[in-house]
Amino acid sequence: MMDALLQYLLTGITLGATYALVGLGFAIIYNASGVVNFAQGEFVMVGAMGAIAMVSGGAPLPVAILAAMAMTVLVGLALERFAIAQARGASVVAVIIITIGASVFLRGAALLIWGKQFHALPHFSGDTPIHIGGATLLPQNLWVMGVTALLVFGVHRFFNKTLTGKAILACSENPMAAALAGIPVRRMLLFSYGLSAALGSAAGVLVAPISLASYESGMMLGLKGFCAAILGGMGSPMGAVAGGVILGVLESLGAGLIDSGYKDAIAFIVILFVLFFRPSGLFGKKQGARV
């Protein structure tokens, strides 16, 4: 039993690391603009499918990964420049609808380019199983956990130690005051979309060797990342990371101990409980308005 629990735990942390990167992308854009970007899952899909297409075309794996991430960043920048920026002054709901439209557009474009088939990306360092106690992992699981930890540490340092990171936080607190202080608010928002797309594409290329990718693989990962951000507290980047790991572990334990058929339902049941009893999330700040 202990071996099985260890296996579920390690599998859950791998899943949760992916959700954490997607949730972190949600939190960054929400912090910068107050908008939930429902195209975040499609950044994951574009990163994974782009890398797979380039490897299939003969590119070395590291080159394909970096090129796919750069391509996804360009997609994120284009979304902000040609869709979000054009709706300047519109309500938050209108901007959210635009991101949903962008999600549908990206999914449709991927269907036309890569078809309905599932595709696989080669493992980064072989697929010989590694035994830890009574559990078995693939080397790719360690890549997912290790790279996610490095990216989360980098994002944390970026927001707390760099001028650009602090400028984005200032924009999230009060855009008008930030503009009066000389901070280019629009450029910070553009940067946020690029950073969010980079994190999403990283999640895509990391998980693609383990779970096959297709034009619609970003939809469920996007929903799980959104659940992670809600669970941790929307607007709290580190809360989103913690929410992703918690969600992944709960899913894995639920699938192993109850029934794998309930795996996807567990995330949404958890979110319902959180919304009922703690709407600000496990690590979010309670908000209120003085009237």
Side-chain angles (χ1 to χ4, degrees):
M1 186 63 182
M2 291 306 294
D3 291 345
L5 286 176
L6 179 61
Q7 182 70 61
Y8 300 148
L9 180 64
L10 292 175
T11 303
I13 292 174
T14 305
L15 274 176
T18 309
Y19 300 158
L21 285 180
V22 182
L24 190 54
F26 272 108
I28 288 172
I29 290 182
Y30 183 81
N31 264 345
S33 62
V35 168
V36 177
N37 172 31
F38 281 103
Q40 186 66 31
E42 271 50 58
F43 293 159
V44 180
M45 177 272 294
V46 171
M49 295 299 288
I52 291 169
M54 289 181 207
V55 168
S56 301
L61 183 60
V63 174
I65 290 172
L66 292 176
M69 290 182 66
M71 180 180 73
T72 312
V73 169
L74 289 177
V75 170
L77 296 177
L79 171 62
E80 198 284 332
R81 180 59 66 191
F82 299 114
I84 305 299
Q86 302 303 318
R88 193 176 303 169
S91 67
V92 170
V93 173
V95 178
I96 289 175
I97 291 172
I98 289 174
T99 68
I100 294 173
S103 168
V104 174
F105 172 79
L106 289 172
R107 211 178 310 144
L111 174 62
L112 291 175
I113 296 171
W114 293 301
K116 293 181 178 178
Q117 299 85 358
F118 285 90
H119 305 270
L121 188 67
H123 288 247
F124 292 3
S125 52
D127 54 1
T128 305
I130 300 170
H131 300 284
I132 301 176
T136 302
L137 286 181
L138 293 172
Q140 193 64 33
N141 293 68
L142 301 181
W143 275 102
V144 174
M145 291 185 269
V147 174
T148 298
L150 287 175
L151 289 175
V152 169
F153 177 74
V155 169
H156 183 264
R157 295 279 297 178
F158 170 75
F159 279 112
N160 289 282
K161 299 295 181 182
T162 69
L163 201 57
T164 303
K166 291 178 180 177
I168 293 175
L169 292 178
C171 295
S172 70
E173 288 294 328
N174 192 321
M176 185 176 293
L180 291 173
I183 295 173
V185 177
R186 298 302 312 173
R187 197 184 305 166
M188 292 299 106
L189 183 57
L190 183 65
F191 187 89
S192 300
Y193 270 84
L195 178 59
S196 176
L199 291 170
S201 63
V205 297
L206 283 170
V207 78
I210 301 175
S211 59
L212 301 178
S214 73
Y215 77 98
E216 59 181 1
S217 59
M219 187 168 60
M220 186 55 76
L221 278 173
L223 287 174
K224 298 289 182 64
F226 177 64
C227 291
I230 294 290
L231 179 61
M234 186 63 83
S236 168
M238 293 307 111
V241 173
V245 174
I246 293 171
L247 194 61
V249 171
L250 287 177
E251 269 194 20
S252 181
L253 288 174
L257 299 177
I258 303 175
D259 190 321
S260 60
Y262 297 123
K263 175 176 173 288
D264 291 330
I266 288 171
F268 304 110
I269 292 171
V270 169
I271 292 308
L272 285 177
F273 272 101
V274 171
L275 290 177
F276 276 131
F277 298 107
R278 193 174 170 83
S280 59
L282 298 177
F283 305 98
K285 296 177 182 176
K286 292 183 179 179
Q287 296 182 349
R290 180 176 294 177
V291 297

